Amino acid sequence: MFAYLPSSWMIALKKAGYWIWLIPVLGVPMSFHWSLGSAHADAWAYLVVTIVFGVIPILDAIVGRDPANPDEVADVPKMDKQGYYRLLSLATVPFLLGMLVWAGWAFVHYEAWSWVGRLGWVLSVGTVTGAIGITVAHEFIHKDPQLEQNAGGLLLAAVCYAGFKVEHVRGHHVHVSTPEDASSSRYGQSLYAFLPHAYKHNFLNAWALEKERLQRRGLPALHWRNELIWWYAISAGFLLGFTLAFGWMGALFFLGQSFVALTLLEIVNYVEHYGLHRRKQDNGRYERTNPSHSWNSNFLLTNLFLFHLQRHSDHHAYAKRRYQVLRHFDDSPQLPNGYAGMIVLALFPPLWRKVMDPKVRAYYAGEEHQLSESQLA
């Protein structure tokens, strides 16, 4: 749809378009408003999750791909320094936390919902705190300013997944697309085999990495300088606050949306690296990470919703690049739809393998030895 627009026009369009993140965040209270007095109140609770995973994949196909890459000389230096993009992402924090607290109140007090409706509410809120909250947190934890580091940690604490702040930067980005990385899915591995392994090992890896960091400073793991202790304490504070304000159901809501959000993150990890790997060199070390080690998805609509997270190939090659200047590479492995559609596909392993396995084999055409016999079977 936008393929023939000049790059400068697309960059200007996207500058305003990133505010699209407000739609799912505000969609939560709007769905509640529309359920008031409705004979189908339970159904309205599923509105956000239905649109994200039912409508967005179709719109991605209709709207099409994002044709614009910022020019490295003319655009990137200027865009990289513009505080507008940083303020735009920071604005998500109060909106998301405010929405989360209000949604907890609604979960407990709205009597028109049965447990079916309350389940839909948790799925919808968790989808927003995962898709928007964790995505923005991911942007922040890769940046140096302390304000962004703290904002990222706070958003992750709000979904009880503070370990991501440590493990993702110091673990995943070091070991991505190797057997040592619990967030890189293997060729032939189903989502349901991947998730338990990712939950367990990413949690443990975060603590091991923080223990290593402290030991290099001559400090024990259980020390006040262990940042995980502080972030998990904030998560405990959120849980206590929801419990005191809304009772046991408030605690259930907070933990439920956290689980949905962190699971959504790990499903995205599954999608982003499925079947891709870095080759081991003669010296026993893996080749340097480059744009061929992540699946890229350049669909415009979801690119805007997710702050260019789908340009994942460039992110892994240059992790500190800000979202507004991430680039698309045609020679990177390409997903056939945006992340929302691929997440739905991943939930059905036979369909996932039917679509994705041929793409992995095609990508390694002529290098089939890169895939083991057991994986090809």
Side-chain angles (χ1 to χ4, degrees):
M1 183 181 292
F2 297 94
Y4 301 106
L5 283 181
S7 183
S8 59
W9 289 22
M10 281 303 303
I11 290 172
L13 177 65
K14 290 197 293 183
K15 188 173 184 178
Y18 290 120
W19 287 101
I20 201 171
W21 64 265
L22 280 166
I23 293 177
V25 176
L26 297 179
V28 171
M30 289 303 298
S31 64
F32 175 84
H33 173 74
W34 289 326
S35 74
L36 296 174
S38 171
H40 306 287
D42 283 349
W44 282 110
Y46 289 84
L47 179 66
V48 172
V49 70
T50 300
I51 290 176
V52 169
F53 297 112
V55 177
I56 296 300
I58 297 171
L59 291 179
D60 266 334
I62 294 171
V63 173
R65 290 174 169 82
D66 179 355
N69 271 342
D71 185 271
E72 287 298 297
V73 176
D75 299 320
V76 170
K78 176 178 61 178
M79 293 173 65
D80 203 39
K81 293 178 181 178
Q82 287 181 348
Y84 166 84
Y85 292 102
R86 186 181 175 198
L87 289 173
L88 191 156
S89 55
L90 285 168
T92 63
V93 179
F95 274 89
L96 283 163
L97 296 181
M99 180 276 293
L100 181 61
V101 173
W102 175 84
W105 173 89
F107 177 85
V108 172
H109 291 98
Y110 189 42
E111 296 180 356
W113 283 332
S114 68
W115 279 106
V116 173
R118 286 187 168 86
L119 174 61
W121 191 245
V122 169
L123 290 172
S124 288
V125 174
T127 295
V128 175
T129 55
I132 307 299
I134 295 182
T135 296
V136 176
H138 169 262
E139 171 72 14
F140 290 151
I141 64 176
H142 278 288
K143 304 303 177 285
D144 295 327
Q146 195 61 48
L147 175 62
E148 288 171 290
Q149 283 284 317
N150 290 340
L154 184 61
L155 288 174
L156 292 171
V159 293
C160 300
Y161 218 46
F164 181 75
K165 186 175 187 297
V166 171
E167 203 287 327
H168 178 80
V169 176
R170 291 186 247 153
H172 175 61
H173 270 261
V174 174
H175 300 296
V176 64
S177 296
T178 72
E180 286 77 23
D181 181 38
S183 292
S184 295
S185 50
R186 313 289 179 256
Y187 177 78
Q189 183 181 34
S190 77
L191 174 65
Y192 302 103
F194 170 83
L195 284 175
H197 182 78
Y199 292 145
K200 175 183 176 182
H201 288 278
N202 286 335
F203 177 81
L204 295 176
N205 287 348
W207 284 97
L209 287 165
E210 189 65 356
K211 179 182 178 181
E212 272 181 32
R213 184 183 72 86
L214 291 168
Q215 283 180 337
R216 288 196 297 270
R217 297 185 176 191
L219 300 172
L222 295 178
H223 190 275
W224 68 269
R225 289 185 181 272
N226 184 325
E227 69 167 304
L228 289 175
I229 292 175
W230 290 100
W231 293 122
Y232 279 117
I234 292 173
S235 292
F238 273 116
L239 178 60
L240 178 62
F242 273 84
T243 305
L244 293 176
F246 308 126
W248 70 268
M249 285 182 62
L252 179 65
F253 165 80
F254 176 72
L255 293 175
Q257 66 83 30
S258 294
F259 181 72
V260 172
L262 65 90
T263 297
L264 184 58
L265 163 66
E266 294 299 353
I267 297 175
V268 168
N269 278 333
Y270 175 86
V271 168
E272 287 172 339
H273 303 286
Y274 177 77
L276 302 177
H277 58 272
R278 288 151 61 192
R279 297 161 180 83
K280 186 171 279 191
Q281 302 175 109
D282 293 339
N283 62 7
R285 300 180 68 178
Y286 291 103
E287 64 182 323
R288 184 175 178 177
T289 306
N290 63 56
S292 71
H293 299 131
S294 307
W295 289 98
N296 204 61
S297 179
N298 200 38
F299 289 85
L300 176 61
L301 186 62
T302 311
N303 261 351
L304 293 175
F305 273 118
L306 298 182
F307 295 86
H308 272 169
L309 179 67
Q310 295 185 136
R311 290 186 167 183
H312 208 62
S313 301
D314 196 20
H315 167 69
H316 265 283
Y318 304 97
K320 285 190 177 292
R321 283 182 78 99
R322 289 190 175 270
Y323 69 90
Q324 67 268 24
V325 295
L326 287 172
R327 299 158 295 179
H328 166 71
F329 294 102
D330 286 328
D331 55 353
S332 296
Q334 303 295 318
L335 293 172
N337 197 257
Y339 277 10
M342 299 310 297
I343 288 167
V344 174
L345 190 66
L347 296 175
F348 303 94
L351 293 178
W352 172 266
R353 294 200 65 182
K354 185 174 182 180
V355 172
M356 291 302 297
D357 283 9
K359 288 184 174 293
V360 176
R361 290 195 296 269
Y363 193 72
Y364 287 106
E367 291 186 287
E368 284 80 6
H369 61 279
Q370 294 288 340
L371 301 171
S372 70
E373 291 182 5
S374 62
Q375 288 175 320
L376 284 169

